[in-house]
Amino acid sequence: MTMPDLPEPQRHVGNLIRRAQQLHLATWARVASSEITSAQYSILAVLDRLGEASQRELCDEVDLDRSTIADLVRRMEKSGLIARQRAAGDARRNVVTLTSHGAAERARLAPLVIDVQRELTAHLGPDDSAALFHGLWAMLEGSVAGTARS
């Protein structure tokens, strides 16, 4: 079936992206965690890689706006996944780090994240799976810089 053969709204990429996101959220909650969201996991992964980051750096790394990051950081700090403190050389800047609980959750979730991806793409062959990834990556890289953070 080609795109013109599909009825509206199924033939629109935006509708498919929305539905794919719904599938991702449901699969994440079932396979990985119903307590830690995929956005929160992204923050855990970034902090694991960087060691520490300002909230602004987290915005850039996970491509979310400041208010969303602020809310995520507040909730993650409350649940003991991360710690927030003033930067040593700049009292205006908050630095976020993983707690031991956050590091343990990152390690626990890492293989489950792979399971989520495997399940989401299980019905695709390797070429289609790679094409999906590269197509989405190219779409996001080609979008206007900062659009998601406005």
Side-chain angles (χ1 to χ4, degrees):
M1 184 178 279
T2 62
M3 284 184 283
D5 294 336
L6 291 171
E8 283 196 282
Q10 287 82 1
R11 68 174 166 231
H12 300 294
V13 171
N15 183 65
L16 295 175
I17 291 170
R18 178 190 57 77
R19 291 177 58 210
Q21 175 63 0
Q22 288 173 327
L23 176 61
H24 172 257
L25 292 174
T27 304
W28 177 275
R30 185 174 40 77
V31 174
S33 177
S34 59
E35 292 86 32
I36 297 173
T37 67
S38 62
Q40 290 173 327
Y41 176 79
S42 295
I43 291 172
L44 295 176
V46 166
L47 292 174
D48 186 49
R49 178 169 43 87
L50 297 179
E52 67 177 33
S54 69
Q55 288 185 209
R56 180 72 213 160
E57 289 167 327
L58 289 175
C59 289
D60 294 341
E61 287 285 331
V62 298
D63 201 19
L64 291 170
D65 62 78
R66 278 186 259 187
S67 62
T68 301
I69 289 291
D71 181 54
L72 287 172
V73 165
R74 205 171 15 262
R75 287 189 286 141
M76 292 174 75
E77 184 178 31
K78 186 176 180 179
S79 64
L81 295 168
I82 61 173
R84 186 173 27 171
Q85 57 203 19
R86 292 287 179 203
D90 184 354
R92 298 167 297 166
R93 183 174 173 251
N94 279 323
V95 175
V96 181
T97 56
L98 282 178
T99 62
S100 58
H101 174 58
E105 285 298 289
R106 156 74 168 123
R108 182 185 71 79
L109 289 171
L112 299 175
V113 172
I114 294 167
D115 290 344
V116 169
Q117 183 162 319
R118 237 185 245 125
E119 186 169 319
L120 288 172
T121 60
H123 65 285
L124 301 175
D127 291 344
D128 285 342
S129 182
L132 174 63
F133 178 86
H134 291 296
L136 289 170
W137 187 264
M139 181 181 76
L140 294 170
E141 286 294 301
S143 68
V144 178
T147 304
R149 289 183 219 108
S150 55

